[in-house]
Amino acid sequence: MTHTYRDSGRAGLKNEEDFVDILEERRRSSDLGHAFRSFNPHPYQGAAPCSTAELNKAVLESQYLRYVTKEIAMETGSSVEEVQEEACGIMEEMSQNLQLGFIRLMGYTLTKVLKRLFTSVFVNMEGLNTLQQAIQETPVILMPNHRSYVDFLVISYILFTYDIPLPVIAAGIPLAGMKMVGEILRRSGAFFIRRAIGSDKLYWAVLSEYVKTIIRKGHAPMEFYVEGLRSRTLKSLMPKLGMMHMVLEPYFKGEVFDVTLVPVSISYDRVLEESLLAHELLGVPKPKESTTGLLKASKVLQEDYGTMHVNFGHPLSVRQLCQGKINRCQYNLIPRDLPQRPTAEAQACVSWLAHLMVRLQEEGSLISPWSLMACLLLQAPITVLTEEGLLWQQLTEKTLWLRKLALDYGARLNWHGQDSDVMSSTMALHRSVVHHKAGRVYLVQEEETVRKRPISPEEGVIKIAAAVLMLASYRNQALHVFVRPALLATAIHITKSTRRDELFTFFCFLQELFSYEFIFIPDKLSQNFEEACFLLKKCGAVHLSQQEVTLSDTGLEALSFLQALLQPFIDSYQVMFRYLSEDGVHVFTEKQVLPAVRNLATKLILSGELHTYEALSSDTQKNVLSALQRLEAVTKFKASEQSEYKVNKAAVKRIGDALLGKILPQMLQTTPDARL
């Protein structure tokens, strides 16, 4: 059984000593001295010096943009000059203006902020050394995961500290609108991209030419979030492919010899936005990014957020990764300056690489003791957490058992010190979510404001849900370690079969159904199943033969833990299926369906029929919709401003029945494994 993709992301992860706390030095010396020290980076050797103005001019005067400008002028009846004027406006709104003076200012400010928020910021030195070397040899793309606003400049801060060329960073346009802050970010290397570009041909052309020019010229390393957005669930998101296409195209077209991709895993003991994220998932609108909001949020500086780990993965050569996957000769048939639609082969290659990078980010992340504790707390009945309390002794023993299972499965843990100290300091760090009293652990519910009327049962559900979703977000950080064996444990539990072929079919069905929930590299179904079998055997849960997967007596604890790990997802999906099967539901918009499903879930929780509060999460509901589209049980079409969905009730019922084990997955209209 091969683990090539795992091994490729594991350089620099051999031992914990490789990580250095960069704040230790900052606490001992002058912050101003650090900000104003001499900065001597070694840039890409193939790059000629190029100012921001020269870069922007090269983009606006490129053959490609001239061609697109003429095309748009003809289509819209505008003059070429008018379209060029518009392109200049887009460029002005978008482009970065990296200046060392502002990096020094940011360096000084970030030192102050990081020292207040975190006890330590650990960085793996071997990863930094290989990055420093890679940046001199090829254009480099830094690809961090995105869990917090803190992610945004922390990589620039680390590179500045170690004399490595600073990246230009793709950022969302709302940040540009923040008074003063937007300009500081622009001068710290941020370039700003609109959220919804849609079919705006000119905007796409300017953006893609800007990105490709930076790579062709080797102007600076580029940093972007392949997930597109900050994850509100702290779980990896499906990669977005637009930006990935842009950074790879210069290699596909032979304009550069190679491009190097560097996965970066940023892990937190505690996330600044934990409460905000939980409320967003329950339908509370996200606050608009503003300078005032930033200043108001300064009270977070009074809190302790534990440690942060920034792990630079092994640099990966696109040239080597794409060998045998893409035929670059096809690009010679059309002049490079003309727009080309990517071939199916190129799209498949880009999708594969994007998924691979997200998996490597997961592999490189460090799992905190709190993530393991959250996995277990969520498996306790809600009445135990809110009323009786969970025995501290029981939680401790079970967490130490789970730590062993996680290490068996190849997880990297952030666990330092005596077990009892680690457990109690973890509880103290997360006192906003749980509290420890008289040998028992209770879920913290938000403080009541003085009320004129008693709280309604529905409001009570939402209050508990906010605490549960905060717990779930930390559990989600550990899911990638367990998800493949958990799918197999669930297949065994639902089918009650021991036959390998039947379990494989059900495993495929689950993977397809949860393809928006967890990250699976395309075309790796058999490997995922084999890995699941291997890991269940490794922890003594099953015996394997050519034809069978049989349960062992010693493995029941692991199997029931893994199966319970997926249960909230199964229950949440069934709530959505139930809503879509109701008589009045035929055509709907996302805006209509999310509150309606939340209301149904609330009713089911109050009646005692549903036990998972995670069914109230809008992200889970959106993932179900995407999965049903993929399984052709829901059709999406653009009817007006908003997309509308049309439901095929019979198909939804079949999927729900298959998930309950009432019908075989083969009975679904199209077999999942054929489709993948």
Side-chain angles (χ1 to χ4, degrees), residues 348-411:
C349 183
V350 168
S351 174
W352 171 73
L353 275 172
H355 282 80
L356 174 68
M357 296 311 285
V358 178
R359 284 290 292 128
L360 291 175
Q361 289 168 355
E362 290 181 337
E363 294 280 351
S365 63
L366 269 86
I367 292 167
S368 68
W370 179 239
S371 287
L372 300 180
M373 289 161 82
C375 287
L376 297 164
L377 286 164
L378 285 166
Q379 294 190 10
I382 201 73
T383 49
V384 170
L385 293 181
T386 53
E387 293 162 29
E388 303 150 38
L390 184 67
L391 281 169
W392 171 246
Q393 183 63 28
Q394 190 186 335
L395 179 63
T396 304
E397 286 168 10
K398 197 82 180 166
T399 304
L400 296 176
W401 169 83
L402 185 54
R403 179 183 67 172
K404 183 184 178 311
L405 185 70
L407 289 170
D408 271 355
Y409 284 4

Side-chain angles (χ1 to χ4, degrees), residues 29 212 317 403:
S29 58
K212 290 183 284 191
S317 154
R403 179 183 67 172

Side-chain angles (χ1 to χ4, degrees), residues 77-245:
S78 313
S79 69
V80 172
E81 288 71 26
E82 284 170 329
V83 181
Q84 282 172 339
E85 188 88 5
E86 198 185 330
C88 286
I90 293 170
M91 194 78 227
E92 211 167 293
E93 172 192 87
M94 183 189 296
S95 73
Q96 54 80 26
N97 186 14
L98 184 58
Q99 294 174 8
L100 189 56
F102 278 83
I103 288 291
R104 294 191 187 284
L105 170 66
M106 285 307 292
Y108 178 72
T109 313
L110 269 174
T111 301
K112 297 283 184 205
V113 170
L114 292 172
K115 286 199 298 191
R116 289 294 292 271
L117 292 175
F118 300 102
T119 48
S120 306
V121 173
F122 288 107
V123 179
N124 67 320
M125 297 315 294
E126 192 179 327
L128 265 189
N129 294 335
T130 52
L131 172 65
Q132 191 155 29
Q133 190 58 41
I135 281 177
Q136 293 172 52
E137 292 166 3
T138 61
V140 163
I141 313 297
L142 292 158
M143 298 175 70
N145 54 354
H146 197 12
R147 300 293 173 265
S148 167
Y149 283 126
V150 180
D151 302 340
F152 191 67
L153 284 171
V154 81
I155 290 175
S156 301
Y157 178 79
I158 294 165
L159 300 193
F160 172 69
T161 302
Y162 289 98
D163 282 348
I164 299 173
L166 300 170
V168 294
I169 312 162
I173 198 78
L175 293 173
M178 293 170 71
K179 282 197 186 87
M180 276 169 52
V181 175
E183 194 49 40
I184 293 171
L185 293 177
R186 192 185 295 277
R187 294 185 189 204
S188 302
F191 64 95
F192 299 101
I193 302 173
R194 291 177 196 167
R195 280 267 187 265
I197 304 171
S199 56
D200 188 334
K201 203 167 164 182
L202 185 62
Y203 194 90
W204 271 114
V206 175
L207 173 59
S208 66
E209 188 59 22
Y210 184 64
V211 168
K212 290 183 284 191
T213 305
I214 290 171
I215 290 162
R216 283 194 295 256
K217 287 183 172 291
H219 175 71
M222 185 178 290
E223 179 186 330
F224 78 95
Y225 301 114
V226 69
E227 297 167 288
L229 303 161
R230 190 172 48 116
S231 170
R232 297 190 300 181
T233 56
L234 302 190
K235 188 153 51 76
S236 297
L237 304 177
M238 265 296 234
K240 300 277 189 289
L241 304 182
M243 195 71 170
M244 196 76 182
H245 265 289

Side-chain angles (χ1 to χ4, degrees), residues 39 50 71 106 168 258 281 326 406 460 463 495 528 536 553 562 606 612 637 657 675:
F39 177 59
C50 171
E71 218 177 32
M106 285 307 292
V168 294
D258 199 358
L281 293 172
I326 192 147
K463 260 183 65 171
T495 61
N528 287 339
L536 284 188
D553 300 335
L562 291 165
L606 288 170
T612 179
F637 54 94
D657 285 347
R675 171 185 246 100

